[in-house]
Amino acid sequence: KGKDFHIRILLPMDFELKNTRIECSWHLKKILHGYRHILKQRLHSCPDLVSFMVELKTILEIALKNTQDLHIPRPPEYYSCLIREIEILGWNKVAYVDTGLTTIKLKAEDSCGRQHLITLKLNAKYPTEPPDCLVDFPVQFSISWMPQNSLMDIYNQFLAALESLKEFWNTMDEIDGKTWVLEPENPTRSATTRRIAIGNNVSVNIEVDPRHPNMLPECYFLGADHVVNPLRTKLNTNMHSWDPEISLLQNLKDLLEIDFPSCAVLEKSDFAKDCGICYAYRLNGTTPDQVCDDSRCGQPFHQACLYEWLQGLPSSRQSFNVIFGECPYCNK
């Protein structure tokens, strides 16, 4: 794992490994604390010192993997180089830095005024080796890196990536601002799906391509058949008139010939009904997505609740992974 440790092995007069003493720094002793019995076992079973050293290396690597936040002192030039780079970049762009100067969060604003963060995890060999970069993006973000590069290069690549995703976030922000999004409840910048309310117990799940956000997304309708089937037909019939020059939301409205319920006018309770079995709206992060097909009923249920209910009815029948039975509300 790229870390150096010094140990001393004291062999007895008879060179018997089982009577060997190992001396090491308190730091290494702390890491190997839970592995003492394994070390003793290996000392007893290894035929010679070389094979024990191989075993010790393996044990140490496992121990390091399981040790949280291991702080290895870094050379002074690591810190001086890093401070110099932060000063060139500007401290106003730093959102967070840990006391060991191993994790840095940089903040940036895209051209539409949205705030974004990039987390850099630097190892002791920085800048010879690039840091790990963590971002809230819907696509993979990887940096191109040379040993002479700096934080400024990462920041510029981050800004360029933000601009390339601008249209995607504009599309998602319009959906979030103008419709009732049922799921996810608090979407992250990396989330590409939205379940949008259409009406009473009817919704559409869309999957947007972050690289082509104005193209027709994957659509999956949820609700009773008598409501969903006409919507599906309209989408298939009008698909040819999709216009990439106008927004995705406007295209969906035109193709489906509907207006989505607005969060500015309606409350969620106006169209989002609780499950008819557990009387809750949210259950383990899911919302009611199974609806009775009878137009006079239309009661929604969580899939898990309905499945459990139908399994308990003697009149229900199952074919492969599909279960058929009566509605708990109207008995249809």
Side-chain angles (χ1 to χ4, degrees):
K1 295 185 74 71
K3 296 178 177 72
D4 290 327
F5 295 98
H6 292 190
I7 62 162
R8 180 185 286 144
I9 293 180
L10 301 173
L11 290 163
M13 295 294 283
D14 55 6
F15 294 107
E16 281 285 322
L17 274 183
K18 62 181 179 184
N19 298 322
T20 298
R21 276 182 60 214
I22 300 172
E23 291 181 357
C24 62
S25 66
W26 65 269
H27 183 236
L28 181 55
K29 199 173 179 181
K30 190 178 170 188
I31 295 164
L32 292 171
H33 179 70
Y35 299 84
R36 284 184 185 178
H37 63 289
I38 299 173
L39 282 174
K40 276 186 182 174
Q41 195 184 342
R42 294 291 184 270
L43 273 173
H44 277 256
S45 58
C46 283
D48 53 46
L49 189 57
V50 176
S51 55
F52 172 71
M53 289 304 292
V54 174
E55 295 273 10
L56 175 62
K57 188 168 172 279
T58 308
I59 293 164
L60 183 52
E61 281 177 355
I62 293 164
L64 284 173
K65 214 171 276 183
N66 297 330
T67 304
Q68 296 299 310
D69 302 323
L70 187 67
H71 180 68
I72 301 289
R74 291 161 191 232
E77 52 271 24
Y78 166 88
Y79 299 103
S80 56
C81 164
L82 200 54
I83 294 293
R84 191 166 58 248
E85 286 184 17
I86 294 173
E87 283 172 349
I88 292 166
L89 179 68
W91 284 97
N92 60 323
K93 294 183 177 74
V94 177
Y96 165 85
V97 59
D98 69 338
T99 50
L101 285 173
T102 57
T103 302
I104 300 171
K105 288 184 184 181
L106 303 176
K107 56 186 175 183
E109 198 175 273
D110 63 26
S111 57
C112 296
R114 286 177 288 253
Q115 295 290 328
H116 302 270
L117 286 177
I118 179 168
T119 302
L120 309 176
K121 296 204 175 278
L122 299 94
N123 67 25
K125 291 179 181 172
Y126 179 85
T128 311
E129 289 181 7
D132 290 331
C133 301
L134 307 168
V135 289
D136 189 13
F137 280 7
V139 293
Q140 195 177 356
F141 173 70
S142 51
I143 55 165
S144 55
W145 186 261
M146 303 281 281
Q148 63 267 30
N149 285 150
S150 67
L151 293 181
M152 184 63 88
D153 297 294
I154 295 174
Y155 195 75
N156 288 334
Q157 289 179 52
F158 180 52
L159 288 176
L162 291 181
E163 284 311 294
S164 71
L165 290 163
K166 183 177 73 173
E167 291 305 322
F168 168 74
W169 286 320
N170 285 347
T171 299
M172 298 319 242
D173 284 353
E174 186 187 15
I175 292 167
D176 294 339
K178 293 183 178 176
T179 69
W180 262 113
V181 173
L182 302 176
E183 289 175 286
E185 214 170 10
N186 299 302
T188 59
R189 287 284 172 210
S190 58
T192 57
T193 60
R194 294 291 189 275
R195 185 175 156 211
I196 311 166
I198 294 175
N200 255 347
N201 311 315
V202 188
S203 57
V204 61
N205 206 70
I206 62 165
E207 173 85 43
V208 182
D209 182 349
R211 293 292 184 207
H212 308 284
N214 284 338
M215 299 309 285
L216 176 67
E218 279 185 45
C219 297
Y220 176 67
F221 292 97
L222 295 138
D225 287 348
H226 67 275
V227 184
V228 161
N229 288 341
L231 289 168
R232 212 175 274 137
T233 305
K234 278 179 190 171
L235 183 68
N236 293 334
T237 308
N238 301 331
M239 206 180 276
H240 66 278
S241 60
W242 185 276
D243 182 2
E245 296 304 310
I246 62 173
S247 77
L248 181 143
L249 185 61
Q250 191 56 52
N251 267 310
L252 281 177
K253 286 179 183 179
D254 295 346
L255 263 64
L256 299 172
E257 298 167 15
I258 57 162
D259 216 351
F260 291 99
S262 164
C263 50
V265 180
L266 294 166
E267 292 294 318
K268 196 178 251 189
S269 54
D270 292 335
F271 51 82
K273 283 167 73 180
D274 295 341
C275 170
I277 294 169
C278 73
Y279 301 112
Y281 182 66
R282 222 160 252 290
L283 176 74
N284 299 331
T286 65
T287 55
D289 60 357
Q290 303 294 312
V291 181
C292 175
D293 282 333
D294 193 285
S295 56
R296 289 166 298 180
C297 177
Q299 176 64 42
F301 307 95
H302 293 116
Q303 185 169 322
C305 295
L306 190 60
Y307 186 76
E308 201 175 315
W309 174 280
L310 293 175
Q311 270 195 319
L313 292 179
S315 57
S316 299
R317 61 187 180 83
Q318 190 156 350
S319 172
F320 298 104
N321 62 337
V322 181
I323 192 162
F324 301 87
E326 295 170 355
C327 169
Y329 258 56
C330 68
N331 296 331
K332 290 285 192 298

